[in-house]
Amino acid sequence: MADSRDENVTWLTQEAYDRLKEEYDYLSGPGRVDIAKKIEAAREEGDLRENGGYHAAKDEQGKMEARIFHLRQLLDNAKVGEAPKTEGVVGPGMTVTIRFEGDDDEVTFLLASREETGAPIDVYSPKSPLGAAINGKKIGERATYSMPNGRQNTVEILEAVPYIGN
């Protein structure tokens, strides 16, 4: 059985899972048929080298196939429900408060899948550099991660409590 902190698992609410499954079902069925019709209609317009409609439809098809692939992976690795939570330990589904080293400001956010939209607070992915660094840490521990610019940043875990919604 996968641990709640397994990097391949995405914890989703039933609502988010259903919304993503509906999007996947549409894109992989009727969506594919629609884009194939657009490509065929554009192809009938003639010379493909200078056919903007054809190239736009092919580009749209590529983006749609990438989204279908992403959704399939997400749904295959999804666990519906709440991630097991241990108060005081950072993990998916926890409201986390941190302080950046050298800064007095505290930052509070929900550690959850970016697909979980609608939370009234900021959502950080457990797969983000910060999320991966703090996942599994306890209150009082520090974690260092690399920012996109290559610099290192260190944070201290101040609080980790189960997210209870609005």
Side-chain angles (χ1 to χ4, degrees):
M1 173 139 190
D3 181 89
S4 67
R5 306 198 193 315
D6 184 334
E7 64 187 46
N8 294 322
V9 172
T10 300
W11 290 92
L12 297 172
T13 60
Q14 186 66 54
E15 175 186 47
Y17 182 89
D18 292 346
R19 179 175 43 80
L20 295 171
K21 177 80 169 82
E22 185 178 310
E23 180 184 358
Y24 173 80
D25 290 345
Y26 171 76
L27 290 177
S28 62
R32 279 184 170 149
V33 172
D34 291 347
I35 195 68
K37 286 179 183 174
K38 281 184 187 177
I39 290 170
E40 187 56 37
R43 186 178 279 143
E44 291 173 2
E45 292 174 10
D47 187 357
L48 298 182
R49 288 173 296 173
E50 297 180 16
N51 187 329
Y54 173 78
H55 294 291
K58 288 295 281 182
D59 187 48
E60 184 181 342
Q61 180 186 39
K63 289 176 183 173
M64 187 175 78
E65 289 301 324
R67 180 66 177 163
I68 289 169
F69 180 78
H70 174 74
L71 288 170
R72 179 77 267 147
Q73 282 191 311
L74 192 64
L75 293 168
D76 284 349
N77 293 311
K79 297 261 191 253
V80 176
E82 294 297 315
K85 299 175 184 95
T86 303
E87 185 137 351
V89 179
V90 176
M94 300 294 281
T95 301
V96 181
T97 302
I98 61 170
R99 180 183 308 125
F100 290 93
E101 193 171 76
D103 192 347
D104 289 336
D105 292 340
E106 297 178 2
V107 178
T108 301
F109 56 89
L110 170 62
L111 189 66
S113 167
R114 292 258 166 90
E115 300 293 345
E116 288 289 349
T117 57
I121 62 174
D122 288 339
V123 177
Y124 285 61
S125 170
K127 296 177 183 176
S128 69
L130 173 60
I134 65 174
N135 202 9
K137 297 285 186 193
K138 296 176 177 70
I139 293 174
E141 290 185 333
R142 295 177 183 277
T144 301
Y145 66 99
S146 294
M147 297 187 305
N149 65 9
R151 292 182 33 209
Q152 299 284 306
N153 209 352
T154 301
V155 298
E156 179 184 359
I157 311 304
L158 301 177
E159 185 176 53
V161 297
Y163 177 69
I164 53 172
N166 301 344

